[in-house]
Amino acid sequence: MKIGVLALQGDFAEHIAMLKRLKVDTAEVRLPEHLNGLDGLIIPGGESTTIGKLAIAYNLMEPLKQFGQRHAIWGTCAGAIFLSKDVSRDQPLLGLMDIKVQRNAFGRQVDSFETDLDIPELKQATGTDAPYHAVFIRAPIIESVGGNVKVLASVPDGRIVAAQQGHLLATSFHPELTNDTRFHEYFLTLVD
Amino acid sequence: MEVKTGTWTEKKGLAQMLKGGVIMDVVTPEHAKIAEDAGACAVMALERVPADIRAQGGVARMSDPELILKIMDAVSIPVMAKCRIGHFVEAQILEAIGVDYIDESEVLTPADEAHHILKHNFKVPFVCGCRNLGEALRRIGEGAAMIRTKGEAGTGDVVEAVRHARAVIGEIRRLTTMADEELMAYAKEIGAPYELVKETKELGRLPVVNFAAGGVATPADAALMMQLGMDGVFVGSGIFKSGDPAKRAAAIVKAVTHYNDPAILAEVSKNLGEPMVGRNVSQMPEAERIAGRGW
């Protein structure tokens, strides 16, 4: 199994380090041909506007959309925004997931937070019972989801922070900034 | 549900989101929009770019909060702002208006000639400049969650940024070959906290994100700093003191992503118009250099 990490901008090295801990082969993706031979893709945290502009400049939009039809893709934070079909502002989006996202929904950096989340699917898939400690940084929320999208996690006021649509996964938070590999393990179960 | 804000993970984490990106100095909301549209991962809001601070002289202070707020309103990307070295009240003001990162910067006139701000006291994260490993680890010890080389701001001459990047990277390389019992003496020698020296050895890199800054003016300069091992690039005067800021900004963004691809670097370096007028640091009197500010 070989998993690519979109390396246009952001914390792609942190995702690669997590995948290496799980003994998975990895590749950095900057150009369309780098998608060849990959079984799945992670779109990291970073700035979604920067990632979108670079994806357009290097003709990655169509190849990424096609890749997502057949293969698993997981977007964290900026990556989740990029996977969505609507962010209520004009910026490049892949539109692969039927989710509407609000950027910087919790405020600016001084409002960024860490907290524990209860994620039943994660516990079940990894056979563990500990809550999931999530790191949110200028994080988006998933405002609404389409009929074929499953909500995986919400914060206590009900706002959605993780969702799954078949082999596509979106999280508002950053599992790659923790020592807990369970979310990466969960993503790997979605890879054919 | 316990919610924690302002943690070390949060502070360090925002800098991790900026990696592989370009942070641009902007002096108006219009500049900020141009920077965002060109693909900047963050902007530094200030009243004058370093080249103008140099030219005009006088005391350089924190920018007007009203200007910073207007820039924060203009863009969706993170906004940083500068305070003077040791001026913790300027930092309190910047935190109160909600900037995403504070640069305790030698580009402004220092307010304290012995002490930097105790940055652990703040919820907002800080970035600080360094010229070598000891200086970087002292700043991290005070709570800086991101480091940048000082370079020589406002000159368009990359030589000092290269000197400082090579110093940090080279010292880390030597550190990784030292025996554990040598670390205390080394910590004393470079004036750095022992625990951070130990952590840096274990990681084989600085414990926080490390950007290049101070003299980057072209896509090639930016890619040079990336190939030397920096995590991203600040561009100060280099963009808005050039002939075609939007084009140059977009080219530098592309150069940082594709820093290892000379064919792409050649493509993005074409037809950028006039670069900023540079100042050769080696011919600059010592008194005009600002990298020496910081203790």
Side-chain angles (χ1 to χ4, degrees), chain A residues 28-48:
Chain A
E28 294 180 3
V29 175
R30 290 184 176 83
L31 295 170
E33 56 265 35
H34 300 161
L35 289 167
N36 297 338
L38 297 181
D39 301 297
L41 181 75
I42 295 177
I43 305 176
E47 278 308 313
S48 60

Side-chain angles (χ1 to χ4, degrees), chain A residues 8 108 113-115 138, chain B residues 2 7 10 19 76 100 257:
Chain A
L8 296 174
R108 302 196 72 94
F113 64 99
E114 299 178 48
T115 195
R138 285 172 48 95
Chain B
E2 199 197 354
T7 64
E10 290 291 342
K19 284 166 71 175
S76 65
D100 296 299
T257 295

Side-chain angles (χ1 to χ4, degrees), chain A residues 99-168:
Chain A
I99 56 175
K100 185 175 181 201
V101 172
Q102 187 193 345
R103 288 182 59 194
N104 305 332
F106 296 96
R108 302 196 72 94
Q109 174 60 14
V110 286
D111 307 304
S112 291
F113 64 99
E114 299 178 48
T115 195
D116 286 342
L117 297 175
D118 183 46
I119 310 177
E121 280 82 358
L122 189 70
K123 289 182 179 173
Q124 201 181 3
T126 58
T128 56
D129 199 39
Y132 188 78
H133 188 73
V135 178
F136 294 82
I137 296 176
R138 285 172 48 95
I141 55 154
I142 301 168
E143 264 181 353
S144 59
V145 301
N148 53 349
V149 179
K150 183 166 64 172
V151 173
L152 293 183
S154 305
V155 285
D157 64 9
R159 290 190 283 181
I160 302 165
V161 292
Q164 181 181 340
Q165 176 184 329
H167 55 263
L168 303 173

Side-chain angles (χ1 to χ4, degrees), chain B residues 147-211:
Chain B
I147 289 293
R148 55 173 176 75
T149 60
K150 285 182 171 172
E152 193 59 43
T155 61
D157 188 348
V158 79
V159 65
E160 294 300 307
V162 169
R163 188 193 315 282
H164 301 157
R166 281 205 181 273
V168 172
I169 302 273
E171 283 157 351
I172 292 173
R173 202 177 295 129
R174 282 193 292 283
L175 175 59
T176 57
T177 64
M178 285 180 197
D180 286 343
E181 63 266 28
E182 295 172 324
L183 299 187
M184 186 60 84
Y186 187 62
K188 183 184 171 195
E189 180 190 324
I190 65 172
Y194 171 72
E195 290 300 328
L196 290 174
V197 170
K198 206 161 143 252
E199 189 183 350
T200 303
K201 184 196 166 188
E202 280 156 16
L203 294 170
R205 59 157 292 144
L206 283 183
V208 302
V209 166
N210 183 18
F211 268 46

Side-chain angles (χ1 to χ4, degrees), chain A:
Chain A
M1 189 198 298
K2 193 169 186 182
I3 304 295
V5 183
L6 193 65
L8 296 174
Q9 189 270 325
D11 69 337
F12 50 88
E14 285 75 354
H15 274 294
I16 288 170
M18 286 299 253
L19 291 168
K20 286 193 170 150
R21 277 174 64 182
L22 297 172
K23 314 272 183 243
V24 176
D25 281 344
T26 61
E28 294 180 3
V29 175
R30 290 184 176 83
L31 295 170
E33 56 265 35
H34 300 161
L35 289 167
N36 297 338
L38 297 181
D39 301 297
L41 181 75
I42 295 177
I43 305 176
E47 278 308 313
S48 60
T49 52
T50 305
I51 292 169
K53 279 165 210 306
L54 286 161
I56 288 179
Y58 291 95
N59 303 316
L60 270 158
M61 296 299 280
E62 250 340 281
L64 287 171
K65 285 178 194 175
Q66 281 166 22
F67 188 88
Q69 300 299 328
R70 303 186 309 277
H71 300 292
I73 303 186
W74 172 23
T76 58
C77 194
I81 295 167
F82 196 40
L83 279 176
S84 75
K85 65 168 195 185
D86 186 358
V87 289
S88 309
R89 71 193 293 282
D90 183 26
Q91 70 176 72
L93 301 174
L94 292 175
L96 280 166
M97 283 185 78
D98 189 8
I99 56 175
K100 185 175 181 201
V101 172
Q102 187 193 345
R103 288 182 59 194
N104 305 332
F106 296 96
R108 302 196 72 94
Q109 174 60 14
V110 286
D111 307 304
S112 291
F113 64 99
E114 299 178 48
T115 195
D116 286 342
L117 297 175
D118 183 46
I119 310 177
E121 280 82 358
L122 189 70
K123 289 182 179 173
Q124 201 181 3
T126 58
T128 56
D129 199 39
Y132 188 78
H133 188 73
V135 178
F136 294 82
I137 296 176
R138 285 172 48 95
I141 55 154
I142 301 168
E143 264 181 353
S144 59
V145 301
N148 53 349
V149 179
K150 183 166 64 172
V151 173
L152 293 183
S154 305
V155 285
D157 64 9
R159 290 190 283 181
I160 302 165
V161 292
Q164 181 181 340
Q165 176 184 329
H167 55 263
L168 303 173
L169 187 61
T171 59
S172 301
F173 47 89
H174 295 282
E176 75 279 15
L177 296 187
T178 70
N179 279 319
D180 188 342
T181 56
R182 284 181 294 166
F183 233 102
H184 288 78
E185 291 168 46
Y186 182 71
F187 172 65
L188 295 177
T189 67
L190 307 181
V191 178
D192 279 337

